[in-house]
Amino acid sequence: MKFKRSSFLAKVVVLVLLVFTAITLLNIRSRIQAAEVELAAYQAAVDQQQEINAALQDNIENSNDPDTVLAVAKDKLGLLESGEVIFYDTTN
């Protein structure tokens, strides 16, 4: 059985297809890498939001706790218990 030699045009077409395929694969690879970076950023944002949500849920669950109410009153509202005095350090 004799094989027929392929023409120059067929070789050029195959070469062009190979180059096109290689360029397309490199483009897809770079898009995948960019998507992975974006995914990591979104995952970090999700993790941070989950921590915030857990803290808020803890605040909701402990909203009737007297110690929690006292801490909020002192820290956020600046209130004092009867008999407490605040001293400000003015030496600095």
Side-chain angles (χ1 to χ4, degrees):
M1 176 185 258
K2 290 186 178 181
F3 291 103
K4 191 176 185 182
R5 287 195 173 245
S6 61
S7 69
F8 179 73
L9 181 61
K11 290 178 183 177
V12 169
V13 169
V14 169
L15 180 63
V16 168
L17 287 174
L18 286 174
V19 169
F20 175 75
T21 304
I23 290 171
T24 303
L25 288 175
L26 290 174
N27 185 20
I28 290 173
R29 182 177 182 204
S30 67
R31 289 175 57 193
I32 288 173
Q33 289 174 342
E36 287 174 345
V37 168
E38 190 176 358
L39 175 66
Y42 285 140
Q43 187 61 46
V46 167
D47 293 341
Q48 181 182 11
Q49 190 61 47
Q50 285 177 341
E51 290 177 8
I52 292 170
N53 289 349
L56 290 173
Q57 183 64 35
D58 185 53
N59 288 343
I60 290 170
E61 291 171 356
N62 295 323
S63 63
N64 292 331
D65 182 28
D67 293 332
T68 304
V69 172
L70 183 62
V72 169
K74 285 183 176 184
D75 295 338
K76 293 189 178 183
L77 301 176
L79 301 177
L80 301 175
E81 289 185 67
S82 62
E84 278 188 326
V85 177
I86 295 178
F87 292 99
Y88 294 102
D89 184 14
T90 59
T91 59
N92 290 339

